[in-house]
Amino acid sequence: MKSTVAFIGFPRETIRFYRELKKNNSKLWLEQHRDDYEAYVMAPARAFVREMGDRLASIAPGIIADPRVNHSIFKIHRDTRFSNDKTPLKEHLALWFWEGTRPRMECSGFYFHLEPSGIMLGTGVYMFPKDLFPEYRDSVVHPKHGAALAKAVKQVTGKGYYVGGEYYKKVPRGYDPEHANAEYLRYGGFYAGIDEKPPAELASEKLLDFCLKRYRDMLPVHRWLADMVERSVKNRAH
């Protein structure tokens, strides 16, 4: 059996790596510092994914935590094909834990983002795929599901987290612009999050519990979205 290394935090060298990357954003620089990237970014990231996944399973039993690149660990190389910004590398670490049967970025999940200035923790779906909009919008105005959404938002924002996803200027045709949840009809995705300075727990195993507490706080939004996405799957099957 392959041994796994326990998560003991992201060391100071992780932050140092991203500070230097920002000054030297090139594929050549990355290759010259590949050993540092492996030791101070990828190794602790893989350990974090494994152990955070175990903890998240206590609040989201179907969570998927896969410590591979393009699964729970976002690749460091940027897709610059359609961007004016041609810098080739991402200047942050991004991790993703998802729950659901659709492709990983079409499911709700929990997000971890680390850069020298701080961390961002979030939950939700950043951008809905086109075929998910009917289920999402109908759920927003549904007597039961819409009320559950309003309750989830109140619970999460009441603890100091933000919700976001506003994308469209107008409520889509066919929906009541005076509905109590009308603002959410203009969302292109739906997520909750919090931005914080690098916590004291960053360089220790205590970061796991630090994150779990915040993910638990945001759980009502995740549960609402995860249920909505699975309803869409079932409706498409019929």
Side-chain angles (χ1 to χ4, degrees):
M1 180 181 291
K2 185 177 179 181
S3 63
T4 57
V5 177
F7 178 74
I8 56 173
F10 289 101
R12 286 176 295 178
E13 290 87 350
T14 310
I15 298 298
R16 186 181 306 150
F17 174 87
Y18 281 107
R19 283 201 181 112
E20 292 301 313
L21 172 59
K22 188 175 181 65
K23 299 174 187 174
N24 306 276
N25 194 319
S26 73
K27 293 180 181 179
L28 175 60
W29 184 89
L30 177 62
E31 288 309 310
Q32 292 171 339
H33 296 80
R34 178 65 65 174
D35 290 347
D36 289 343
Y37 178 61
E38 178 58 35
Y40 304 131
V41 177
M42 290 300 293
R46 284 191 288 262
F48 181 86
V49 167
R50 286 190 294 265
E51 297 191 36
M52 193 75 248
D54 290 342
R55 281 167 168 74
L56 283 170
S58 68
I59 62 172
I63 207 71
I64 298 172
D66 185 333
R68 291 180 292 172
V69 174
N70 276 341
H71 291 77
S72 283
I73 302 177
F74 285 82
K75 63 183 180 180
I76 191 170
H77 295 90
R78 296 182 62 248
D79 183 351
T80 60
R81 291 174 298 170
F82 309 108
S83 174
N84 291 327
D85 180 0
K86 298 302 180 183
T87 51
L89 305 173
K90 297 172 185 173
E91 297 169 355
H92 63 268
L93 171 64
L95 307 175
W96 179 239
F97 308 86
W98 71 99
E99 185 174 26
T101 56
R102 290 183 66 124
R104 68 183 183 120
M105 298 310 298
E106 297 179 9
C107 296
S108 183
F110 298 93
Y111 180 66
F112 174 91
H113 177 113
L114 171 64
E115 58 184 274
S117 62
I119 65 172
M120 193 280 270
L121 302 174
T123 190
V125 183
Y126 186 71
M127 181 61 72
F128 295 129
K130 187 175 180 179
D131 67 292
L132 193 53
F133 276 111
E135 184 67 44
Y136 167 70
R137 289 167 175 165
D138 288 349
S139 296
V140 166
V141 299
H142 187 277
K144 177 183 176 182
H145 304 317
L149 174 60
K151 180 180 179 181
V153 169
K154 186 175 181 180
Q155 288 175 315
V156 171
T157 57
K159 293 181 178 179
Y161 300 81
Y162 58 78
V163 296
E166 186 173 338
Y167 186 79
Y168 300 99
K169 292 182 179 180
K170 296 181 179 180
V171 169
R173 188 177 302 169
Y175 293 90
D176 180 9
E178 300 300 319
H179 190 279
N181 285 346
E183 64 178 298
Y184 305 131
L185 293 169
R186 294 188 283 110
Y187 280 28
F190 199 104
Y191 48 84
I194 189 167
D195 300 292
E196 302 197 39
K197 293 180 179 179
E201 296 87 346
L202 185 64
S204 78
E205 70 281 359
K206 294 179 181 179
L207 181 66
L208 293 161
D209 290 334
F210 176 93
C211 294
L212 183 62
K213 178 189 182 300
R214 286 149 181 79
Y215 290 146
R216 185 183 283 116
D217 286 346
M218 293 184 278
L219 187 61
V221 166
H222 168 71
R223 281 183 171 155
W224 189 90
L225 286 163
D227 289 345
M228 182 275 295
V229 171
E230 287 310 299
R231 282 197 301 274
S232 77
V233 172
K234 292 177 181 178
N235 289 341
R236 289 178 67 190
H238 298 324

mmCIF file of all heavy atoms in Angstrom, residues 101-102 132 135-140 142 144-146 148-149 223-238:
data_model
loop_
_atom_site.group_PDB
_atom_site.id
_atom_site.type_symbol
_atom_site.label_atom_id
_atom_site.label_comp_id
_atom_site.label_asym_id
_atom_site.label_seq_id
_atom_site.Cartn_x
_atom_site.Cartn_y
_atom_site.Cartn_z
ATOM 1 N N THR A 101 -23.278 14.133 -9.130
ATOM 2 C CA THR A 101 -23.028 13.184 -10.210
ATOM 3 C C THR A 101 -22.729 13.854 -11.545
ATOM 4 O O THR A 101 -22.415 13.165 -12.516
ATOM 5 C CB THR A 101 -24.245 12.247 -10.374
ATOM 6 O OG1 THR A 101 -25.431 13.044 -10.597
ATOM 7 C CG2 THR A 101 -24.457 11.401 -9.125
ATOM 8 N N ARG A 102 -22.821 15.164 -11.610
ATOM 9 C CA ARG A 102 -22.436 15.868 -12.824
ATOM 10 C C ARG A 102 -20.922 16.076 -12.825
ATOM 11 O O ARG A 102 -20.254 15.809 -11.824
ATOM 12 C CB ARG A 102 -23.166 17.222 -12.909
ATOM 13 C CG ARG A 102 -24.673 17.092 -13.165
ATOM 14 C CD ARG A 102 -25.324 18.449 -13.317
ATOM 15 N NE ARG A 102 -24.866 19.145 -14.520
ATOM 16 C CZ ARG A 102 -25.666 19.602 -15.475
ATOM 17 N NH1 ARG A 102 -26.981 19.427 -15.388
ATOM 18 N NH2 ARG A 102 -25.187 20.244 -16.508
ATOM 19 N N LEU A 132 -28.582 23.863 -16.761
ATOM 20 C CA LEU A 132 -28.983 23.857 -15.364
ATOM 21 C C LEU A 132 -29.845 25.069 -14.997
ATOM 22 O O LEU A 132 -30.520 25.068 -13.962
ATOM 23 C CB LEU A 132 -27.736 23.825 -14.470
ATOM 24 C CG LEU A 132 -27.924 23.508 -12.985
ATOM 25 C CD1 LEU A 132 -28.698 22.213 -12.789
ATOM 26 C CD2 LEU A 132 -26.567 23.429 -12.295
ATOM 27 N N GLU A 135 -33.779 24.526 -14.053
ATOM 28 C CA GLU A 135 -34.003 23.954 -12.719
ATOM 29 C C GLU A 135 -33.654 24.970 -11.642
ATOM 30 O O GLU A 135 -34.379 25.119 -10.644
ATOM 31 C CB GLU A 135 -33.164 22.687 -12.538
ATOM 32 C CG GLU A 135 -33.419 21.983 -11.215
ATOM 33 C CD GLU A 135 -34.830 21.411 -11.137
ATOM 34 O OE1 GLU A 135 -35.290 20.806 -12.132
ATOM 35 O OE2 GLU A 135 -35.470 21.588 -10.075
ATOM 36 N N TYR A 136 -32.531 25.676 -11.824
ATOM 37 C CA TYR A 136 -32.127 26.670 -10.828
ATOM 38 C C TYR A 136 -33.182 27.758 -10.689
ATOM 39 O O TYR A 136 -33.628 28.081 -9.576
ATOM 40 C CB TYR A 136 -30.778 27.287 -11.204
ATOM 41 C CG TYR A 136 -30.459 28.525 -10.395
ATOM 42 C CD1 TYR A 136 -30.153 28.425 -9.040
ATOM 43 C CD2 TYR A 136 -30.514 29.796 -10.973
ATOM 44 C CE1 TYR A 136 -29.889 29.566 -8.285
ATOM 45 C CE2 TYR A 136 -30.245 30.929 -10.223
ATOM 46 C CZ TYR A 136 -29.937 30.806 -8.876
ATOM 47 O OH TYR A 136 -29.693 31.934 -8.137
ATOM 48 N N ARG A 137 -33.599 28.334 -11.790
ATOM 49 C CA ARG A 137 -34.539 29.459 -11.728
ATOM 50 C C ARG A 137 -35.903 29.021 -11.229
ATOM 51 O O ARG A 137 -36.545 29.743 -10.437
ATOM 52 C CB ARG A 137 -34.642 30.116 -13.108
ATOM 53 C CG ARG A 137 -33.369 30.885 -13.467
ATOM 54 C CD ARG A 137 -33.323 31.282 -14.931
ATOM 55 N NE ARG A 137 -32.146 32.115 -15.209
ATOM 56 C CZ ARG A 137 -31.692 32.375 -16.432
ATOM 57 N NH1 ARG A 137 -32.333 31.878 -17.499
ATOM 58 N NH2 ARG A 137 -30.610 33.129 -16.593
ATOM 59 N N ASP A 138 -36.353 27.852 -11.642
ATOM 60 C CA ASP A 138 -37.635 27.359 -11.133
ATOM 61 C C ASP A 138 -37.551 27.098 -9.632
ATOM 62 O O ASP A 138 -38.523 27.311 -8.901
ATOM 63 C CB ASP A 138 -38.046 26.076 -11.865
ATOM 64 C CG ASP A 138 -38.493 26.335 -13.296
ATOM 65 O OD1 ASP A 138 -38.687 27.514 -13.661
ATOM 66 O OD2 ASP A 138 -38.626 25.352 -14.053
ATOM 67 N N SER A 139 -36.389 26.652 -9.158
ATOM 68 C CA SER A 139 -36.203 26.401 -7.727
ATOM 69 C C SER A 139 -36.195 27.707 -6.941
ATOM 70 O O SER A 139 -36.706 27.771 -5.811
ATOM 71 C CB SER A 139 -34.903 25.636 -7.486
ATOM 72 O OG SER A 139 -34.941 24.343 -8.067
ATOM 73 N N VAL A 140 -35.617 28.747 -7.522
ATOM 74 C CA VAL A 140 -35.549 30.049 -6.853
ATOM 75 C C VAL A 140 -36.945 30.577 -6.535
ATOM 76 O O VAL A 140 -37.159 31.193 -5.478
ATOM 77 C CB VAL A 140 -34.773 31.064 -7.729
ATOM 78 C CG1 VAL A 140 -34.979 32.496 -7.229
ATOM 79 C CG2 VAL A 140 -33.283 30.728 -7.741
ATOM 80 N N HIS A 142 -39.788 28.597 -6.545
ATOM 81 C CA HIS A 142 -40.653 27.523 -6.055
ATOM 82 C C HIS A 142 -41.066 27.811 -4.609
ATOM 83 O O HIS A 142 -40.254 28.276 -3.807
ATOM 84 C CB HIS A 142 -39.890 26.198 -6.134
ATOM 85 C CG HIS A 142 -40.717 24.995 -5.826
ATOM 86 N ND1 HIS A 142 -40.963 24.566 -4.535
ATOM 87 C CD2 HIS A 142 -41.343 24.110 -6.645
ATOM 88 C CE1 HIS A 142 -41.705 23.476 -4.569
ATOM 89 N NE2 HIS A 142 -41.948 23.178 -5.831
ATOM 90 N N LYS A 144 -41.548 25.978 -1.977
ATOM 91 C CA LYS A 144 -40.746 25.273 -0.972
ATOM 92 C C LYS A 144 -39.251 25.545 -1.146
ATOM 93 O O LYS A 144 -38.560 25.962 -0.210
ATOM 94 C CB LYS A 144 -41.015 23.771 -1.055
ATOM 95 C CG LYS A 144 -40.174 22.942 -0.103
ATOM 96 C CD LYS A 144 -40.455 21.457 -0.289
ATOM 97 C CE LYS A 144 -39.530 20.604 0.593
ATOM 98 N NZ LYS A 144 -39.766 19.144 0.386
ATOM 99 N N HIS A 145 -38.740 25.320 -2.350
ATOM 100 C CA HIS A 145 -37.310 25.455 -2.588
ATOM 101 C C HIS A 145 -36.856 26.911 -2.498
ATOM 102 O O HIS A 145 -35.747 27.203 -2.028
ATOM 103 C CB HIS A 145 -36.937 24.875 -3.958
ATOM 104 C CG HIS A 145 -37.360 23.452 -4.135
ATOM 105 N ND1 HIS A 145 -37.203 22.503 -3.147
ATOM 106 C CD2 HIS A 145 -37.938 22.805 -5.197
ATOM 107 C CE1 HIS A 145 -37.659 21.341 -3.574
ATOM 108 N NE2 HIS A 145 -38.119 21.498 -4.802
ATOM 109 N N GLY A 146 -37.708 27.820 -2.946
ATOM 110 C CA GLY A 146 -37.360 29.237 -2.867
ATOM 111 C C GLY A 146 -37.270 29.716 -1.427
ATOM 112 O O GLY A 146 -36.362 30.480 -1.066
ATOM 113 N N ALA A 148 -36.527 27.802 1.068
ATOM 114 C CA ALA A 148 -35.333 27.164 1.624
ATOM 115 C C ALA A 148 -34.074 27.935 1.224
ATOM 116 O O ALA A 148 -33.128 28.053 2.020
ATOM 117 C CB ALA A 148 -35.248 25.714 1.150
ATOM 118 N N LEU A 149 -34.060 28.468 0.004
ATOM 119 C CA LEU A 149 -32.918 29.265 -0.437
ATOM 120 C C LEU A 149 -32.797 30.534 0.398
ATOM 121 O O LEU A 149 -31.700 30.887 0.865
ATOM 122 C CB LEU A 149 -33.057 29.623 -1.915
ATOM 123 C CG LEU A 149 -31.998 30.583 -2.462
ATOM 124 C CD1 LEU A 149 -30.602 29.992 -2.319
ATOM 125 C CD2 LEU A 149 -32.292 30.933 -3.916
ATOM 126 N N ARG A 223 -25.857 22.664 0.552
ATOM 127 C CA ARG A 223 -26.917 21.641 0.533
ATOM 128 C C ARG A 223 -28.035 22.040 -0.425
ATOM 129 O O ARG A 223 -28.566 21.195 -1.157
ATOM 130 C CB ARG A 223 -27.467 21.435 1.950
ATOM 131 C CG ARG A 223 -26.565 20.569 2.813
ATOM 132 C CD ARG A 223 -27.184 20.328 4.172
ATOM 133 N NE ARG A 223 -26.427 19.337 4.931
ATOM 134 C CZ ARG A 223 -26.411 19.269 6.258
ATOM 135 N NH1 ARG A 223 -27.119 20.135 6.969
ATOM 136 N NH2 ARG A 223 -25.712 18.342 6.880
ATOM 137 N N TRP A 224 -28.405 23.318 -0.410
ATOM 138 C CA TRP A 224 -29.482 23.756 -1.303
ATOM 139 C C TRP A 224 -29.070 23.546 -2.759
ATOM 140 O O TRP A 224 -29.853 23.027 -3.565
ATOM 141 C CB TRP A 224 -29.816 25.230 -1.060
ATOM 142 C CG TRP A 224 -31.047 25.680 -1.794
ATOM 143 C CD1 TRP A 224 -32.334 25.638 -1.341
ATOM 144 C CD2 TRP A 224 -31.108 26.184 -3.131
ATOM 145 N NE1 TRP A 224 -33.195 26.099 -2.303
ATOM 146 C CE2 TRP A 224 -32.471 26.437 -3.428
ATOM 147 C CE3 TRP A 224 -30.165 26.451 -4.110
ATOM 148 C CZ2 TRP A 224 -32.897 26.947 -4.657
ATOM 149 C CZ3 TRP A 224 -30.578 26.950 -5.340
ATOM 150 C CH2 TRP A 224 -31.925 27.201 -5.600
ATOM 151 N N LEU A 225 -27.847 23.941 -3.085
ATOM 152 C CA LEU A 225 -27.370 23.808 -4.462
ATOM 153 C C LEU A 225 -27.184 22.347 -4.861
ATOM 154 O O LEU A 225 -27.539 21.950 -5.977
ATOM 155 C CB LEU A 225 -26.063 24.571 -4.634
ATOM 156 C CG LEU A 225 -26.192 26.088 -4.680
ATOM 157 C CD1 LEU A 225 -24.847 26.747 -4.432
ATOM 158 C CD2 LEU A 225 -26.775 26.539 -6.017
ATOM 159 N N ALA A 226 -26.632 21.543 -3.964
ATOM 160 C CA ALA A 226 -26.431 20.123 -4.281
ATOM 161 C C ALA A 226 -27.766 19.438 -4.549
ATOM 162 O O ALA A 226 -27.887 18.639 -5.490
ATOM 163 C CB ALA A 226 -25.693 19.430 -3.141
ATOM 164 N N ASP A 227 -28.770 19.751 -3.751
ATOM 165 C CA ASP A 227 -30.101 19.173 -3.968
ATOM 166 C C ASP A 227 -30.687 19.644 -5.301
ATOM 167 O O ASP A 227 -31.302 18.865 -6.031
ATOM 168 C CB ASP A 227 -31.041 19.569 -2.827
ATOM 169 C CG ASP A 227 -30.705 18.861 -1.519
ATOM 170 O OD1 ASP A 227 -29.948 17.871 -1.554
ATOM 171 O OD2 ASP A 227 -31.199 19.320 -0.458
ATOM 172 N N MET A 228 -30.502 20.922 -5.603
ATOM 173 C CA MET A 228 -31.027 21.475 -6.857
ATOM 174 C C MET A 228 -30.378 20.805 -8.057
ATOM 175 O O MET A 228 -31.049 20.430 -9.030
ATOM 176 C CB MET A 228 -30.798 22.987 -6.884
ATOM 177 C CG MET A 228 -31.330 23.709 -8.112
ATOM 178 S SD MET A 228 -30.185 23.715 -9.522
ATOM 179 C CE MET A 228 -28.839 24.707 -8.864
ATOM 180 N N VAL A 229 -29.075 20.621 -8.015
ATOM 181 C CA VAL A 229 -28.361 19.993 -9.131
ATOM 182 C C VAL A 229 -28.830 18.556 -9.319
ATOM 183 O O VAL A 229 -29.043 18.107 -10.451
ATOM 184 C CB VAL A 229 -26.838 20.046 -8.893
ATOM 185 C CG1 VAL A 229 -26.109 19.208 -9.935
ATOM 186 C CG2 VAL A 229 -26.342 21.486 -8.934
ATOM 187 N N GLU A 230 -29.026 17.828 -8.236
ATOM 188 C CA GLU A 230 -29.465 16.440 -8.368
ATOM 189 C C GLU A 230 -30.907 16.356 -8.873
ATOM 190 O O GLU A 230 -31.253 15.409 -9.586
ATOM 191 C CB GLU A 230 -29.310 15.703 -7.038
ATOM 192 C CG GLU A 230 -27.860 15.398 -6.710
ATOM 193 C CD GLU A 230 -27.117 14.725 -7.871
ATOM 194 O OE1 GLU A 230 -27.513 13.629 -8.285
ATOM 195 O OE2 GLU A 230 -26.135 15.332 -8.379
ATOM 196 N N ARG A 231 -31.743 17.344 -8.530
ATOM 197 C CA ARG A 231 -33.097 17.363 -9.109
ATOM 198 C C ARG A 231 -33.019 17.505 -10.622
ATOM 199 O O ARG A 231 -33.778 16.866 -11.364
ATOM 200 C CB ARG A 231 -33.925 18.519 -8.528
ATOM 201 C CG ARG A 231 -34.480 18.269 -7.155
ATOM 202 C CD ARG A 231 -35.607 19.234 -6.820
ATOM 203 N NE ARG A 231 -35.196 20.625 -6.866
ATOM 204 C CZ ARG A 231 -34.631 21.278 -5.858
ATOM 205 N NH1 ARG A 231 -34.404 20.654 -4.706
ATOM 206 N NH2 ARG A 231 -34.300 22.549 -5.976
ATOM 207 N N SER A 232 -32.077 18.325 -11.077
ATOM 208 C CA SER A 232 -31.936 18.511 -12.526
ATOM 209 C C SER A 232 -31.521 17.215 -13.194
ATOM 210 O O SER A 232 -31.955 16.895 -14.306
ATOM 211 C CB SER A 232 -30.922 19.627 -12.822
ATOM 212 O OG SER A 232 -29.594 19.177 -12.660
ATOM 213 N N VAL A 233 -30.651 16.460 -12.532
ATOM 214 C CA VAL A 233 -30.203 15.178 -13.085
ATOM 215 C C VAL A 233 -31.367 14.211 -13.199
ATOM 216 O O VAL A 233 -31.564 13.555 -14.217
ATOM 217 C CB VAL A 233 -29.087 14.583 -12.207
ATOM 218 C CG1 VAL A 233 -28.741 13.170 -12.655
ATOM 219 C CG2 VAL A 233 -27.832 15.476 -12.257
ATOM 220 N N LYS A 234 -32.172 14.134 -12.136
ATOM 221 C CA LYS A 234 -33.324 13.224 -12.142
ATOM 222 C C LYS A 234 -34.361 13.637 -13.173
ATOM 223 O O LYS A 234 -34.932 12.800 -13.867
ATOM 224 C CB LYS A 234 -33.957 13.185 -10.747
ATOM 225 C CG LYS A 234 -33.067 12.535 -9.701
ATOM 226 C CD LYS A 234 -33.721 12.584 -8.331
ATOM 227 C CE LYS A 234 -32.816 11.948 -7.281
ATOM 228 N NZ LYS A 234 -33.402 12.034 -5.920
ATOM 229 N N ASN A 235 -34.594 14.940 -13.293
ATOM 230 C CA ASN A 235 -35.592 15.417 -14.270
ATOM 231 C C ASN A 235 -35.138 15.139 -15.697
ATOM 232 O O ASN A 235 -35.970 14.810 -16.554
ATOM 233 C CB ASN A 235 -35.823 16.912 -14.070
ATOM 234 C CG ASN A 235 -36.575 17.221 -12.786
ATOM 235 O OD1 ASN A 235 -37.228 16.334 -12.228
ATOM 236 N ND2 ASN A 235 -36.488 18.455 -12.310
ATOM 237 N N ARG A 236 -33.843 15.256 -15.955
ATOM 238 C CA ARG A 236 -33.327 14.975 -17.303
ATOM 239 C C ARG A 236 -33.443 13.486 -17.611
ATOM 240 O O ARG A 236 -33.673 13.085 -18.750
ATOM 241 C CB ARG A 236 -31.884 15.421 -17.418
ATOM 242 C CG ARG A 236 -31.697 16.917 -17.441
ATOM 243 C CD ARG A 236 -30.232 17.292 -17.518
ATOM 244 N NE ARG A 236 -29.629 16.903 -18.783
ATOM 245 C CZ ARG A 236 -28.333 16.937 -19.042
ATOM 246 N NH1 ARG A 236 -27.489 17.331 -18.090
ATOM 247 N NH2 ARG A 236 -27.863 16.604 -20.210
ATOM 248 N N ALA A 237 -33.291 12.663 -16.563
ATOM 249 C CA ALA A 237 -33.377 11.203 -16.774
ATOM 250 C C ALA A 237 -34.774 10.777 -17.158
ATOM 251 O O ALA A 237 -34.963 9.759 -17.827
ATOM 252 C CB ALA A 237 -32.935 10.474 -15.499
ATOM 253 N N HIS A 238 -35.761 11.591 -16.719
ATOM 254 C CA HIS A 238 -37.160 11.281 -17.062
ATOM 255 C C HIS A 238 -37.566 12.018 -18.342
ATOM 256 O O HIS A 238 -38.659 11.960 -18.769
ATOM 257 C CB HIS A 238 -38.087 11.673 -15.920
ATOM 258 C CG HIS A 238 -37.798 10.915 -14.646
ATOM 259 N ND1 HIS A 238 -37.409 9.594 -14.630
ATOM 260 C CD2 HIS A 238 -37.828 11.310 -13.341
ATOM 261 C CE1 HIS A 238 -37.226 9.202 -13.386
ATOM 262 N NE2 HIS A 238 -37.478 10.229 -12.580
#
